[in-house]
Amino acid sequence: QSGAVSMPQSGAVSMPQSGAVSMPQSGAVSSRRKAAAAVAAALAAAAALFPAAPAEADLAANPLGCAASASVQSGRGKSQFVDSGDGEVRLPRQGDVYWTGSVAKPAHQEAGEVRMRVGFWSVTVGAWGTSPNPANQLMRQGATVLPAFLRYVPPGRYRVEGEHRATEGRCSGAVTVVLAGSAFTTVAALAATLLTVPLGLGLFRAGRPRPGRPRGRPVRGAVMGALLGLTLAGVGLASFLISSDSVLVGGLPLALLLGGIALGAFAPFRGATGDGPSGA
């Protein structure tokens, strides 16, 4: 537990007595670093503040000697210690975060970003820098709160990646953030669950021929298929069947979009009376 941030009763964050680098009294943490800290704490506690290679990563790719840790205190009075070497982090939806980040040697012109993997894509959710670090600081500490939007994020396993760059080198890492709950925990997860059946029926109807025409409704099939794919991916994520970086998150909407176009074009679902072009 060495290097953890202590939480005084007054809410201030104290610096460790040994090995710490004092921070200037004015502008201790820039507004950009505060914003980056808030985003990183929300998505990966402190593991992405100064992204360090996880335990299973190649430490040779960490020339700066990046390290980070945080104590997350939820609104229910529970606390959790998180280290940058953790491969998986369970986060509450609200609470306070007391974080510390360090490098083994002074780094200059520092910058970085935090990204979340969503299917085939990587979405940037926070960035910081460029910080010249003229005081050659090795450690930074601070406190922030988990952003309110976390209350509305569907439960699931989210893959978060981060990178910290400087003139002297770079370090990067990844962590899986687990938000507890079920398919009925948030409005988004509940909506995805409830919309699955009507969207499936809409896709089925798009594959039925229109009166007097051989084809169905390919445009409706494309829209219904894409939306159904998104809701199924959301339900799978909220049910912990897949993680945010699964190919199904991007593959299901794309596959069902193409499938909807094909259903509308060929109209294979004919009624009992045979609604074909001839009405037979």
Side-chain angles (χ1 to χ4, degrees), residues 105-131:
K105 59 183 180 180
H108 305 89
Q109 302 301 324
E110 299 171 280
E113 61 182 1
V114 178
R115 303 175 299 274
M116 182 171 68
R117 288 289 306 276
V118 181
F120 306 126
W121 306 279
S122 182
V123 181
T124 300
V125 294
W128 57 92
T130 302
S131 173

Side-chain angles (χ1 to χ4, degrees), residues 42-272:
L43 294 175
L49 279 169
F50 292 84
E56 67 275 11
D58 182 8
L59 294 179
N62 186 16
L64 292 179
C66 299
S69 62
S71 177
V72 184
Q73 296 190 348
S74 67
R76 298 181 179 179
K78 297 181 179 180
S79 62
Q80 176 185 5
F81 182 79
V82 180
D83 186 80
S84 57
D86 295 339
E88 183 172 289
V89 176
R90 299 184 70 89
L91 281 186
R93 295 182 179 273
Q94 55 184 336
D96 301 315
V97 179
Y98 300 86
W99 57 268
T100 179
S102 65
V103 289
K105 59 183 180 180
H108 305 89
Q109 302 301 324
E110 299 171 280
E113 61 182 1
V114 178
R115 303 175 299 274
M116 182 171 68
R117 288 289 306 276
V118 181
F120 306 126
W121 306 279
S122 182
V123 181
T124 300
V125 294
W128 57 92
T130 302
S131 173
N133 191 23
N136 294 325
Q137 293 175 322
L138 298 177
M139 178 180 291
R140 296 177 189 268
Q141 294 180 312
T144 186
V145 296
L146 294 175
F149 73 80
L150 271 186
R151 302 177 186 177
Y152 310 105
V153 176
R157 299 166 60 88
Y158 296 88
R159 189 66 173 172
V160 179
E161 302 170 343
E163 181 182 56
H164 190 68
R165 302 180 299 274
T167 305
E168 294 77 6
R170 60 183 289 273
C171 48
S172 60
V175 65
T176 298
V177 177
V178 179
L179 292 179
S182 68
F184 303 97
T185 299
T186 63
V187 174
L190 179 61
T193 303
L194 297 180
L195 287 174
T196 301
V197 173
L199 287 174
L201 292 176
L203 181 60
F204 172 79
R205 290 179 61 86
R208 299 190 64 177
R210 288 175 285 182
R213 296 188 181 183
R215 297 198 311 167
R217 298 171 173 83
V219 175
R220 176 186 292 184
V223 174
M224 291 295 175
L227 292 178
L228 179 60
L230 288 174
T231 58
L232 289 176
V235 171
L237 182 64
S239 302
F240 296 92
L241 299 176
I242 59 175
S243 58
S244 68
D245 59 339
S246 170
V247 294
L248 294 178
V249 174
L252 274 176
L254 179 61
L256 290 181
L257 181 148
L258 297 176
I261 295 176
L263 288 177
F266 297 103
F269 303 132
R270 303 183 184 275

Side-chain angles (χ1 to χ4, degrees), residues 10-33:
S10 60
V13 179
S14 62
M15 297 282 288
Q17 295 300 316
S18 61
V21 178
S22 59
M23 300 182 68
Q25 295 299 317
S26 60
V29 182
S30 67
S31 59
R32 286 180 296 182
R33 286 194 178 275

